[in-house]
Amino acid sequence: MTHPGQLLKENGLYAGKELGQNFLSNPATAEMIVEKTGIDETSHVLEIGPGLGALTVHIARRTRNLTVVEKDRRLVPVLEKELAGRDMTHVQIINQDVLRQDIPAIAGDHPLVVIGNLPYNISSQILFKLVKDRRQVKRAFLMFQKELAERISASPGGKSWSRLAAVVQYAAKVSTV
């Protein structure tokens, strides 16, 4: 994996604050995250916000069924180049806002494992979308800002309990990995 700072600099790009972008830079961390998902070659994976490919490369090594949805059109050519340089031509890249993406169309007849390092500013919206499309989602491994993760996993009646926690916990078993 090429360091994100180097990729951004080489391509005259920057992390967009308006998109809440943050990039994983440690390959060992990315590998550990993907390993914990338990995906294998038969898994159908949807990665939300692949960015520069820090997780994508590790996911693509484990499965032949990977679709990534990236909103930032500036990053798509960089991601394509990174994947092509590793002969990872089996990754389908969709340049679109995941909130407008037809997740059932991506899933087809196969339940998805959803993976994403989500920007804080739309994490709640993405969770509501995944709850809505939960019949197509087998499991989801999502990275959040610590405060949001605590809200999602809050117990009923506690001060952090919220509509988001209630909806997500109704639809899924929530745990911290």
Side-chain angles (χ1 to χ4, degrees), residues 116-118 123-124 127 142-149 152:
N117 180 20
L118 304 181
S123 294
S124 297
L127 279 171
L142 305 170
M143 287 155 280
F144 301 106
Q145 193 168 345
K146 182 180 178 184
E147 294 78 15
L148 183 59
I152 295 165

Side-chain angles (χ1 to χ4, degrees), residues 13-152:
L13 301 172
Y14 55 89
K17 287 184 181 181
E18 70 283 357
L19 296 175
Q21 292 173 322
N22 57 80
F23 301 104
L24 289 173
S25 59
N26 185 330
T29 300
E31 175 60 27
M32 180 266 307
I33 290 166
V34 173
E35 185 176 314
K36 289 188 179 283
T37 67
I39 61 170
D40 62 27
E41 62 203 22
T42 65
S43 300
H44 289 259
V45 179
L46 166 62
E47 183 185 5
I48 298 172
L52 299 167
L55 289 173
T56 313
V57 168
H58 297 283
I59 296 167
R61 287 183 183 143
R62 292 177 180 257
T63 185
R64 303 297 300 168
N65 305 294
L66 173 57
T67 301
V68 300
V69 178
E70 175 56 59
K71 179 179 181 177
D72 190 346
R73 64 178 168 73
R74 304 170 311 141
L75 299 182
V76 171
V78 179
L79 179 59
E80 288 173 336
K81 184 177 176 185
E82 280 293 297
L83 295 173
R86 291 173 170 76
D87 197 29
M88 295 180 167
T89 56
H90 61 284
V91 178
Q92 178 188 7
I93 300 172
I94 300 172
N95 181 205
Q96 185 174 16
D97 182 342
V98 72
L99 296 174
R100 296 188 173 155
Q101 182 60 49
D102 184 354
I103 290 177
I106 292 173
D109 295 333
H110 307 282
L112 296 169
V113 176
V114 179
I115 301 173
N117 180 20
L118 304 181
Y120 182 75
N121 58 340
I122 63 165
S123 294
S124 297
Q125 294 170 44
I126 291 172
L127 279 171
F128 283 121
K129 179 167 183 56
L130 292 175
V131 166
K132 178 181 162 274
D133 292 331
R134 67 185 174 274
R135 287 189 174 85
Q136 286 77 34
V137 178
K138 181 178 181 179
R139 293 186 320 259
F141 294 87
L142 305 170
M143 287 155 280
F144 301 106
Q145 193 168 345
K146 182 180 178 184
E147 294 78 15
L148 183 59
E150 289 170 351
R151 277 185 44 220
I152 295 165

